[in-house]
Amino acid sequence: MKPSEGARKAVLLVIDLQRGLFDEQPRPFDADSVIGRINELAARARAAGVPVVLIQHEALVDQLVHGSERWELARGLVTAPTDARLRKTTPDSFLRTGLADLLKGWGAHRLVVCGYASEFCVDTTTRRAAALGYDVTIAADAHTTHDKAHATAAQIQAHHNATLPELTSFGVRIEAVAAREITF
């Protein structure tokens, strides 16, 4: 897919919206609303000619074996034939994947990040993107996780929305913005 000239600089990353993480009980915090916001965000991105990358975590054993039903994208997530698909094996969407090459090919300068899990894959991918020189917009209400022993999922989401934009030492802009306010 070749993005339109005006939209070349942004790319939407949808991280780990998979059945084994999203469709089983207990579900992540605000799961249906998060999927709805991601669908709306992706529709706006596609309409603007902005590439959408669907990233799927996998493991050789455990719940996310490549090709298994649990590895598949979550029910309710709307995809398009033009969406790029990317497999990963760590919380870092760049490590041992083709993401950097895709972004370079598209001339990307800004990444919009959403998905699962706020404290792992969303956080790690945001930090790596900033370290590589990309401006990052976190869809503040379109990433989620499960409750943990030390904090609720809502607290974890709020924590990352507050702290990631404070990482100014990378020299790029990191912002957390409600999905409905994100423009391409």
Side-chain angles (χ1 to χ4, degrees):
M1 172 177 80
K2 186 168 181 139
S4 69
E5 191 64 32
R8 289 184 59 202
K9 295 183 179 180
V11 173
L12 175 63
L13 303 182
V14 179
I15 302 173
D16 298 351
L17 251 66
Q18 294 168 258
R19 291 181 186 175
L21 301 170
F22 249 79
D23 292 351
E24 298 176 6
Q25 297 297 326
R27 297 185 71 211
F29 168 69
D30 205 22
D32 291 329
S33 295
V34 166
I35 291 173
R37 289 182 199 106
I38 290 172
N39 285 338
E40 291 169 8
L41 195 57
R44 290 198 318 273
R46 292 179 193 110
V50 169
V52 175
V53 182
L54 305 172
I55 301 168
Q56 290 168 267
H57 193 86
E58 64 184 57
L60 294 176
V61 294
D62 202 13
Q63 64 179 351
L64 298 175
V65 175
H66 176 259
S68 70
E69 183 172 340
R70 298 184 86 221
W71 179 83
E72 295 297 329
L73 294 170
R75 290 175 180 86
L77 180 65
V78 177
T79 65
T82 55
D83 295 344
R85 300 236 179 170
L86 189 74
R87 295 163 51 188
K88 69 178 181 62
T89 58
T90 74
D92 182 348
S93 296
F94 289 90
L95 185 61
R96 295 186 299 270
T97 72
L99 182 57
D101 291 336
L102 283 174
L103 299 175
K104 183 179 179 183
W106 289 323
H109 294 284
R110 173 179 164 238
L111 304 181
V112 177
V113 177
C114 60
Y116 183 92
S118 303
E119 76 279 26
F120 294 117
C121 302
V122 170
D123 178 278
T124 304
T125 298
T126 296
R127 290 171 189 262
R128 180 71 180 273
L132 292 172
Y134 293 99
D135 288 326
V136 180
T137 301
I138 302 159
D141 54 355
H143 67 90
T144 189
T145 192
H146 284 87
D147 289 344
K148 303 296 187 276
H150 68 282
T152 67
Q155 290 169 327
I156 294 167
Q157 181 191 61
H159 171 81
H160 284 77
N161 287 340
T163 59
L164 288 171
E166 295 296 319
L167 296 174
T168 58
S169 61
F170 290 113
V172 297
R173 180 182 176 123
I174 301 174
E175 60 183 349
V177 178
R180 72 181 172 284
E181 297 173 15
I182 295 173
T183 59
F184 294 101

